[in-house]
Amino acid sequence: MNYKRLLLPVTLALSTTVMAGGHREPYQAQTQLINKAFSEQQASTLRVATFNMAAGRVSSLTEIAKAIKALNADVVAIQEVDTLTGRSGKLDQAKKLAELTGLNVKFGRAIDFDGGQYGLAIASKYPILKTAVTQLPSGQREQRIAFEAHVDVPGFEAPITVFNTHLDTKEAPDMRVNQVRTLNDTAIDTRGIKILMGDMNDVPESVTYRELTRYWNPISDKQADFRTWPAGNPEIQVDYVMTGKAQKWAIKEVIIPQNNQQYGNINWPSVTDHLPIIVEMKMMEQ
């Protein structure tokens, strides 16, 4: 009996089974949100902001809440949030911010810290339908996450998926690049309208930035100065608002309150060490 001839079809079958797998399967591409373009009059408006609150270490939570309200955003991505930590007086900062602002606020845990937890939050004027946390590769350094929230914003045909993140701080970019790749690997499987915001701890045109822009479109405005850190005398941009590549947006307004600008009657450097980025835009193609 020729065993080689008998084994060949089995080997081919096994090879076919392995090769048929992979990252992008047809079911991952299925979506109920069909491609559609809108006129300026038809287009729905979204106002978003990213804001690193430094866990309330620069000012009080009352002042931070006033600042978040002054953003007047539909959705705010908030970095450096404490829950029941010793340094924050055992206060659930996300819960307290919800009380003080009247917004829906959800917390995403990154690490256990100082008797409580530390991580990210997403605040919204509108219902947050569900959330998810994706751990990003962090080695022996502080665990970083991507915090995902699906927000039901009126005027849009599907919930908006907001990703909030705060990447590693080390000068060498290798860790951040791996973190971005994991974030992108998660986000690409999400169909629909996507926004990415957060503190990326790296500057435009860096390798981290280039890795991000493979999957995301950074918000740009030639009239805006995007330097956000440190708030009192900004030197570099580390905070970003980006949109998914499936959509096209018309940018109506970008605000970074530079030069101690009293935007919303808030002295921003007295509140935290990062300036916020506020973006108002219209979705011209979904």
Side-chain angles (χ1 to χ4, degrees):
M1 184 179 291
N2 191 334
Y3 287 98
K4 289 184 178 179
R5 291 182 61 187
L6 287 174
L7 287 170
L8 182 59
V10 176
T11 304
L12 287 174
L14 287 172
S15 300
T16 303
T17 300
V18 172
M19 292 175 65
H23 179 64
R24 296 183 178 94
E25 294 294 329
Y27 75 88
Q28 293 169 301
Q30 293 173 4
T31 177
Q32 308 225 342
L33 189 72
I34 61 170
N35 184 261
K36 188 186 297 185
F38 303 94
S39 68
E40 184 80 16
Q41 293 72 30
Q42 295 171 323
S44 296
T45 300
L46 182 68
R47 186 179 175 91
V48 298
T50 185
F51 181 61
N52 187 322
M53 60 175 267
R57 290 173 290 160
V58 177
S59 63
S60 70
L61 209 62
T62 300
E63 293 304 311
I64 290 169
K66 288 179 183 176
I68 290 172
K69 287 181 71 174
L71 298 172
N72 191 30
D74 298 315
V75 183
V76 185
I78 310 170
Q79 299 85 47
E80 298 196 28
V81 183
D82 279 356
T83 296
L84 306 177
T85 66
R87 71 176 176 184
S88 296
K90 291 294 181 179
L91 186 66
D92 185 332
Q93 290 186 334
K95 183 177 179 181
K96 188 63 177 178
L97 284 174
E99 293 173 4
L100 293 172
T101 62
L103 300 174
N104 299 298
V105 183
K106 298 293 184 182
F107 173 77
R109 171 194 169 278
I111 58 172
D112 292 330
F113 175 75
D114 196 16
Q117 297 179 343
Y118 169 77
L120 308 174
I122 292 175
S124 171
K125 291 181 179 179
Y126 305 109
I128 298 174
L129 305 179
K130 62 179 180 178
T131 62
V133 170
T134 299
Q135 288 198 332
L136 305 180
S138 303
Q140 299 303 308
R141 292 175 61 76
E142 179 186 312
Q143 178 64 56
R144 305 290 174 149
I145 63 168
F147 185 40
E148 171 186 349
H150 298 249
V151 185
D152 189 12
V153 182
F156 293 87
E157 293 186 12
I160 294 173
T161 304
V162 178
F163 290 89
N164 180 15
T165 196
H166 185 193
L167 301 182
D168 185 73
T169 59
K170 195 172 184 180
E171 184 62 20
D174 307 51
M175 185 78 75
R176 281 189 299 279
V177 169
N178 285 333
Q179 290 172 346
V180 171
R181 286 175 178 168
T182 299
L183 186 154
N184 285 344
D185 203 36
T186 298
I188 197 63
D189 287 339
T190 301
R191 303 276 63 79
I193 306 165
K194 293 182 281 191
I195 306 288
L196 169 64
M197 296 186 278
D199 178 354
M200 308 304 175
N201 273 317
D202 215 336
V203 297
E205 307 312 323
S206 62
V207 293
T208 306
Y209 181 88
R210 292 198 297 271
E211 196 68 31
L212 283 162
T213 56
R214 291 176 61 229
Y215 285 70
W216 304 92
N217 291 324
I219 295 298
S220 60
D221 183 340
K222 292 181 180 179
Q223 306 304 314
D225 184 343
F226 280 90
R227 291 174 296 169
T228 54
W229 184 90
N233 186 9
E235 184 173 351
I236 55 175
Q237 179 183 1
V238 293
D239 304 280
Y240 297 86
V241 176
M242 299 185 173
T243 61
K245 289 182 178 284
Q247 287 80 49
K248 292 182 180 179
W249 298 84
I251 307 305
K252 311 307 292 183
E253 185 176 38
V254 176
I255 301 167
I256 303 100
Q258 295 273 359
N259 303 318
N260 296 314
Q261 177 186 348
Q262 293 282 314
Y263 176 74
N265 202 32
I266 301 294
N267 179 8
W268 294 93
S270 71
V271 175
T272 186
D273 59 336
H274 289 243
L275 294 176
I277 298 178
I278 309 143
V279 178
E280 186 167 306
M281 52 192 177
K282 286 196 166 195
M283 191 176 68
M284 307 306 296
E285 180 186 338
Q286 70 177 19

